[in-house]
């Protein structure tokens, strides 16, 4: 199956470079591109894309607002944010808006291609520790503090809380299984239950929820 990618960046040369790299892959193709977020939202309403590579800082409409609008529209494409800095408040806002993950613009080609394929498959998009570090850095700046009460916590079991906490720490499924003395298949089941009960789209959303609900704390290493 060929995956369709939509490119969003205000620099034409960046888009050209991404297109050249993507079109060289047998299983990837570029189905469209845009120079800002507003153009992207408009074009994507008529394009069947699997993954959107979205620059986070652009004129007219940035990647945060574009991601938010695509999420509200229920567009099925998964958004992968491209950024220059890993600790970027725009990236944090984009994750909260529904982006599936982020990647640094200076990432190696194989890292970007693996991230694209990973996000299309619904798997982990970036190194979990990188996502956790970003969220932990900015969660204290949320209105009302990071530990806002959330009634959804009452829907999950104590074991699921442990799994959620481990996810927020940056642990992989295998590491969670080892830490909690569970079979990896059981961990997968718990994660599926968490996604359903907490109404989270993916693993990144689970990490966000864990910090915002106070299950995980920014000062923990």
């Amino acid at each position: 199956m060929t995956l369709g990618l939509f490119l969003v960046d205000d620099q034409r040369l960046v888009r050209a470079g991404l297109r050249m790299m993507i079109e060289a892959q047998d299983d990837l193709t570029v189905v469209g591109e845009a120079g800002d977020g507003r153009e992207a939202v408009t074009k994507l309403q008529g394009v069947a894309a699997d993954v959107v590579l979205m620059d986070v800082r652009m004129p007219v409409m940035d990647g945060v607002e574009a991601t938010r609008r695509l999420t509200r529209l229920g567009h099925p494409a998964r958004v992968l944010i491209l950024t220059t800095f890993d600790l970027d408040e725009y990236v944090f806002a984009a994750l909260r808006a529904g982006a599936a993950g982020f990647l640094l613009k200076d990432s190696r080609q194989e890292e970007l291609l693996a991230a694209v394929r990973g996000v299309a498959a619904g798997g982990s998009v970036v190194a979990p520790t990188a996502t956790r570090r970003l969220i932990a850095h900015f969660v204290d700046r949320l209105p009302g503090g990071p530990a806002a009460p959330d009634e959804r916590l009452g829907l999950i079991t104590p074991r699921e809380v442990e799994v959620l906490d481990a996810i927020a720490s940056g642990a992989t499924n295998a590491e969670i299984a080892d830490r909690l003395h569970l079979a990896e298949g059981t961990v997968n089941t718990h994660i599926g239950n968490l996604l359903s009960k907490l109404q989270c789209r993916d693993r990144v959303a689970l990490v966000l929820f864990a910090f915002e609900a106070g299950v995980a704390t920014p000062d923990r290493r």
Side-chain angles (χ1 to χ4, degrees):
M1 184 182 76
T2 301
L3 298 175
L5 276 70
F6 193 95
L7 313 178
V8 189
D9 197 294
D10 60 318
Q11 296 184 40
R12 193 169 306 204
L13 283 176
V14 171
R15 298 200 308 271
L18 289 170
R19 177 182 284 273
M20 187 179 303
M21 176 178 60
I22 291 163
E23 295 287 7
Q25 309 301 309
D26 293 336
D27 61 333
L28 305 177
T29 188
V30 175
V31 295
E33 59 180 72
D36 62 70
R38 180 180 297 170
E39 183 185 3
V41 173
T42 300
K43 286 186 173 181
L44 278 163
Q45 293 183 59
V47 174
D50 297 296
V51 177
V52 178
L53 288 178
M54 180 89 74
D55 185 18
V56 72
R57 295 174 182 261
M58 295 177 289
V60 184
M61 181 186 292
D62 60 34
V64 177
E65 182 58 27
T67 299
R68 186 177 293 115
R69 294 194 184 191
L70 288 172
T71 300
R72 284 179 188 160
L73 290 169
H75 197 287
R78 307 261 286 165
V79 177
L80 183 58
I81 293 292
L82 299 178
T83 179
T84 304
F85 309 105
D86 56 354
L87 293 180
D88 186 336
E89 65 272 22
Y90 275 68
V91 176
F92 177 65
L95 293 178
R96 296 191 78 210
F102 74 96
L103 203 65
L104 293 176
K105 283 190 172 182
D106 63 358
S107 297
R108 297 193 305 271
Q109 175 175 316
E110 56 267 29
E111 291 175 331
L112 188 146
L113 294 173
V116 165
R117 295 180 177 110
V119 72
S124 183
V125 187
V126 296
T129 50
T131 305
R132 180 190 180 280
R133 190 162 66 95
L134 174 79
I135 294 170
H137 183 78
F138 288 107
V139 73
D140 272 331
R141 306 181 187 187
L142 292 172
D150 194 307
E151 61 183 16
R152 287 177 292 172
L153 276 176
L155 301 175
I156 62 178
T157 67
R159 177 61 90 183
E160 287 166 351
V161 171
E162 291 179 325
V163 173
L164 179 62
D165 182 54
I167 291 171
S169 76
T172 64
N173 287 11
E175 290 167 342
I176 295 171
D178 183 62
R179 183 183 304 178
L180 300 180
H181 307 290
L182 298 171
E184 194 165 345
T186 302
V187 172
N188 291 334
T189 298
H190 283 311
I191 292 174
N193 290 339
L194 286 167
L195 290 169
S196 176
K197 291 179 180 181
L198 300 178
Q199 300 175 3
C200 289
R201 184 175 181 177
D202 51 30
R203 198 182 191 97
V204 171
L206 286 176
V207 178
L208 275 167
F209 176 87
F211 278 100
E212 293 178 355
V215 173
T217 55
D219 58 348
R220 191 187 64 190
R221 296 290 182 266

